[in-house]
Short mmCIF file of all heavy atoms in Angstrom, two decimals:
data_model
loop_
_atom_site.label_atom_id
_atom_site.label_comp_id
_atom_site.label_asym_id
_atom_site.label_seq_id
_atom_site.Cartn_x
_atom_site.Cartn_y
_atom_site.Cartn_z
N PRO Y 14 -9.58 2.87 -74.12
CA PRO Y 14 -10.91 2.27 -74.29
C PRO Y 14 -11.61 2.72 -75.58
O PRO Y 14 -12.29 1.90 -76.19
CB PRO Y 14 -11.63 2.80 -73.07
CG PRO Y 14 -10.61 3.16 -72.08
CD PRO Y 14 -9.39 3.59 -72.89
N MET Y 15 -11.44 3.95 -75.95
CA MET Y 15 -12.15 4.42 -77.16
C MET Y 15 -11.60 3.78 -78.42
O MET Y 15 -12.37 3.58 -79.34
CB MET Y 15 -12.10 5.99 -77.29
CG MET Y 15 -13.00 6.66 -76.20
SD MET Y 15 -13.18 8.44 -76.45
CE MET Y 15 -11.59 9.00 -75.99
N ASN Y 16 -10.33 3.46 -78.43
CA ASN Y 16 -9.74 2.69 -79.56
C ASN Y 16 -10.44 1.30 -79.68
O ASN Y 16 -10.75 0.88 -80.79
CB ASN Y 16 -8.26 2.53 -79.45
CG ASN Y 16 -7.51 3.77 -79.82
OD1 ASN Y 16 -7.99 4.64 -80.46
ND2 ASN Y 16 -6.27 3.84 -79.36
N VAL Y 17 -10.61 0.68 -78.58
CA VAL Y 17 -11.28 -0.63 -78.54
C VAL Y 17 -12.72 -0.51 -79.05
O VAL Y 17 -13.16 -1.36 -79.87
CB VAL Y 17 -11.22 -1.27 -77.15
CG1 VAL Y 17 -12.03 -2.57 -77.11
CG2 VAL Y 17 -9.76 -1.53 -76.78
N GLY Y 18 -13.43 0.52 -78.60
CA GLY Y 18 -14.79 0.74 -79.10
C GLY Y 18 -14.84 0.97 -80.58
O GLY Y 18 -15.71 0.47 -81.29
N ALA Y 19 -13.90 1.77 -81.10
CA ALA Y 19 -13.85 2.07 -82.53
C ALA Y 19 -13.50 0.81 -83.31
O ALA Y 19 -14.00 0.59 -84.44
CB ALA Y 19 -12.80 3.16 -82.77
N VAL Y 20 -12.65 -0.07 -82.73
CA VAL Y 20 -12.31 -1.30 -83.40
C VAL Y 20 -13.59 -2.18 -83.53
O VAL Y 20 -13.88 -2.81 -84.57
CB VAL Y 20 -11.23 -2.08 -82.65
CG1 VAL Y 20 -11.09 -3.52 -83.11
CG2 VAL Y 20 -9.88 -1.35 -82.87
N ALA Y 21 -14.35 -2.29 -82.40
CA ALA Y 21 -15.58 -3.00 -82.44
C ALA Y 21 -16.52 -2.56 -83.50
O ALA Y 21 -17.17 -3.36 -84.26
CB ALA Y 21 -16.27 -3.02 -81.08
N ARG Y 22 -16.63 -1.24 -83.65
CA ARG Y 22 -17.53 -0.68 -84.68
C ARG Y 22 -17.03 -1.08 -86.11
O ARG Y 22 -17.81 -1.44 -86.95
CB ARG Y 22 -17.63 0.81 -84.54
CG ARG Y 22 -18.53 1.44 -85.58
CD ARG Y 22 -18.76 2.93 -85.36
NE ARG Y 22 -19.70 3.50 -86.29
CZ ARG Y 22 -20.09 4.77 -86.31
NH1 ARG Y 22 -19.65 5.59 -85.37
NH2 ARG Y 22 -20.91 5.22 -87.24
N ALA Y 23 -15.73 -0.92 -86.31
CA ALA Y 23 -15.11 -1.27 -87.62
C ALA Y 23 -15.40 -2.73 -87.96
O ALA Y 23 -15.68 -3.08 -89.07
CB ALA Y 23 -13.65 -0.99 -87.60
N MET Y 24 -15.27 -3.61 -86.95
CA MET Y 24 -15.51 -4.99 -87.20
C MET Y 24 -16.94 -5.23 -87.61
O MET Y 24 -17.23 -5.99 -88.51
CB MET Y 24 -15.22 -5.81 -85.90
CG MET Y 24 -13.72 -5.86 -85.52
SD MET Y 24 -13.44 -6.59 -83.87
CE MET Y 24 -14.10 -8.24 -84.13
N ALA Y 49 -15.48 2.82 -74.18
CA ALA Y 49 -15.42 1.86 -75.28
C ALA Y 49 -16.82 1.78 -75.93
O ALA Y 49 -16.98 1.75 -77.14
CB ALA Y 49 -14.94 0.49 -74.81
N LEU Y 52 -17.96 4.61 -78.43
CA LEU Y 52 -17.55 4.55 -79.83
C LEU Y 52 -18.00 3.26 -80.55
O LEU Y 52 -17.94 3.19 -81.76
CB LEU Y 52 -16.03 4.71 -79.97
CG LEU Y 52 -15.59 6.15 -80.16
CD1 LEU Y 52 -15.70 6.91 -78.82
CD2 LEU Y 52 -14.14 6.21 -80.64
N ALA Y 53 -18.53 2.33 -79.79
CA ALA Y 53 -18.96 1.07 -80.38
C ALA Y 53 -20.42 1.18 -80.85
O ALA Y 53 -21.27 0.41 -80.45
CB ALA Y 53 -18.81 -0.07 -79.44
N ASN Y 146 -3.84 5.20 -86.56
CA ASN Y 146 -4.51 4.84 -85.33
C ASN Y 146 -4.88 3.35 -85.38
O ASN Y 146 -5.09 2.79 -86.45
CB ASN Y 146 -5.74 5.70 -85.20
CG ASN Y 146 -6.61 5.31 -84.04
OD1 ASN Y 146 -7.51 4.45 -84.20
ND2 ASN Y 146 -6.41 5.89 -82.88
N ALA Y 148 -7.64 1.70 -84.62
CA ALA Y 148 -8.95 1.44 -85.28
C ALA Y 148 -8.84 1.65 -86.76
O ALA Y 148 -9.49 0.96 -87.56
CB ALA Y 148 -9.99 2.35 -84.66
N VAL Y 152 -9.78 -1.07 -89.65
CA VAL Y 152 -10.74 -0.72 -90.75
C VAL Y 152 -10.16 -1.13 -92.07
O VAL Y 152 -10.86 -1.73 -92.92
CB VAL Y 152 -11.06 0.79 -90.74
CG1 VAL Y 152 -11.71 1.19 -92.06
CG2 VAL Y 152 -12.01 1.13 -89.63
#
Side-chain angles (χ1 to χ4, degrees):
M15 288 190 288
N16 281 341
V17 174
V20 165
R22 181 174 182 177
M24 292 172 61
L52 269 73
N146 173 272
V152 164

